[in-house]
Amino acid sequence: MSEYEESIAGAMKCLTDFMAAFNAGDVEAWEATLNYPSVRIASGKLVIIDKPGWHPRDMFEKGLGVDWARSGWERREVIHAGHDKVHFDTRFVRYRADGSVIGHYDSIYVVTLQDGHWGVKARSSFAP
C-alpha cells in the first residue's frame, strides 16, 4: 500500500483529530472531522448525518453515560486504501476517570477525501 501512503496519513490524521475533538467535548471540531452526508451504524440503527450542526451541542454530556471520561484508539489497521478512500479496522476503548475500562468496541471506519478534506464518511461499530 506504499502507493497510498499519503492517503493513509491523511485518513489516519482524520481519525486522530476525530478522537481528540470527541474527548475534548468539542462538537464543532468533531463534526469538522466528518464528510457529509456521514453514516453511522450502531445499536441496531442506521443514522445519516446530513450536515454540521445535526448533533445536539450537549451530546457528550448526555450520550455516553455518567461513567465515561474519555475514549481512545486501541487499534487502527488499514484494510484497503486508495487515492481518495481508506477503510480501517478499529477498536476503541471507553474509559472512566480513574482509567478503568468501560468497554472495548470493534468497528469499521471509512475515511474519504472529499473536496480536499479527509473526513469520516461511514462507521459501523458494536458500541451502544
Side-chain angles (χ1 to χ4, degrees):
M1 287 197 221
S2 61
E3 176 183 358
Y4 304 113
E5 285 181 27
E6 190 174 320
S7 297
I8 293 168
M12 190 69 75
K13 181 182 181 320
C14 170
L15 291 181
T16 298
D17 294 347
F18 175 98
M19 191 64 74
F22 195 86
N23 285 329
D26 186 337
V27 176
E28 289 178 12
W30 181 73
E31 287 182 329
T33 67
L34 305 179
N35 273 341
Y36 297 93
S38 187
V39 175
R40 180 176 187 248
I41 303 168
S43 303
K45 297 177 188 172
L46 170 73
V47 176
I48 299 172
I49 303 150
D50 292 324
K51 61 186 177 193
W54 185 90
H55 295 92
R57 299 297 109 182
D58 61 352
M59 68 178 261
F60 295 107
E61 292 84 27
K62 291 186 176 180
L64 295 167
V66 295
D67 288 346
W68 179 83
R70 66 179 179 86
S71 296
W73 296 114
E74 185 172 274
R75 178 182 71 236
R76 293 184 290 174
E77 295 178 6
V78 175
I79 302 169
H80 307 104
H83 293 292
D84 62 355
K85 180 170 58 172
V86 181
H87 299 172
F88 289 94
D89 171 19
T90 72
R91 173 179 280 175
F92 63 91
V93 183
R94 290 183 180 158
Y95 297 95
R96 294 178 187 87
D98 66 4
S100 63
V101 172
I102 296 169
H104 301 260
Y105 306 98
D106 292 320
S107 53
I108 301 292
Y109 277 66
V110 178
V111 182
T112 61
L113 180 62
Q114 187 173 306
D115 300 324
H117 173 263
W118 283 101
V120 175
K121 188 68 168 178
R123 55 201 160 114
S124 176
S125 78
F126 291 96

